Amino acid sequence: MLIAFDSTQQALRAEMLLEYADIEIDICPTPKQITAGCALSIHFPESDLLVVKDVISQESVEIRGIFKQIEDRYEPIEL
């Protein structure tokens, strides 16, 4: 799973919050298929999706969206 952002500030804030929540994450470049205002995205395991959604919601983190990689493309998921 991947979270895309509109700002670097929100990406770094999400990184800190998700690490604090003990979620294994990786910072990566935003894939070209996803239109976002920020070059940083966060990969996380699909098994942590509910916790990630909870943290984003509770902490009012502004995101472009959460995406699931299906073969060579990214599909948005419902928030």
Side-chain angles (χ1 to χ4, degrees):
M1 304 294 294
L2 180 126
I3 309 170
F5 301 89
D6 285 325
S7 77
T8 303
Q9 179 184 6
Q10 291 298 311
L12 296 175
R13 185 167 168 253
E15 176 188 22
M16 178 195 66
L17 292 167
L18 294 173
E19 285 178 344
Y20 185 75
D22 286 329
I23 295 173
E24 188 174 317
I25 61 168
D26 288 315
I27 299 291
C28 62
T30 301
K32 293 176 188 172
Q33 302 96 327
I34 299 173
T35 304
C38 175
L40 296 177
S41 289
I42 295 177
H43 271 289
F44 65 93
E46 188 170 355
S47 59
D48 289 326
L49 178 59
L50 293 177
V51 177
V52 168
K53 286 171 125 180
D54 224 24
V55 169
I56 287 169
S57 175
Q58 288 180 5
E59 299 295 332
S60 300
V61 178
E62 297 173 22
I63 65 170
R64 166 65 64 184
I66 298 178
F67 300 83
K68 181 175 184 171
Q69 187 171 6
I70 301 172
E71 296 177 9
D72 62 344
R73 67 186 193 285
Y74 287 88
E75 295 290 330
I77 64 158
E78 292 291 321
L79 295 179

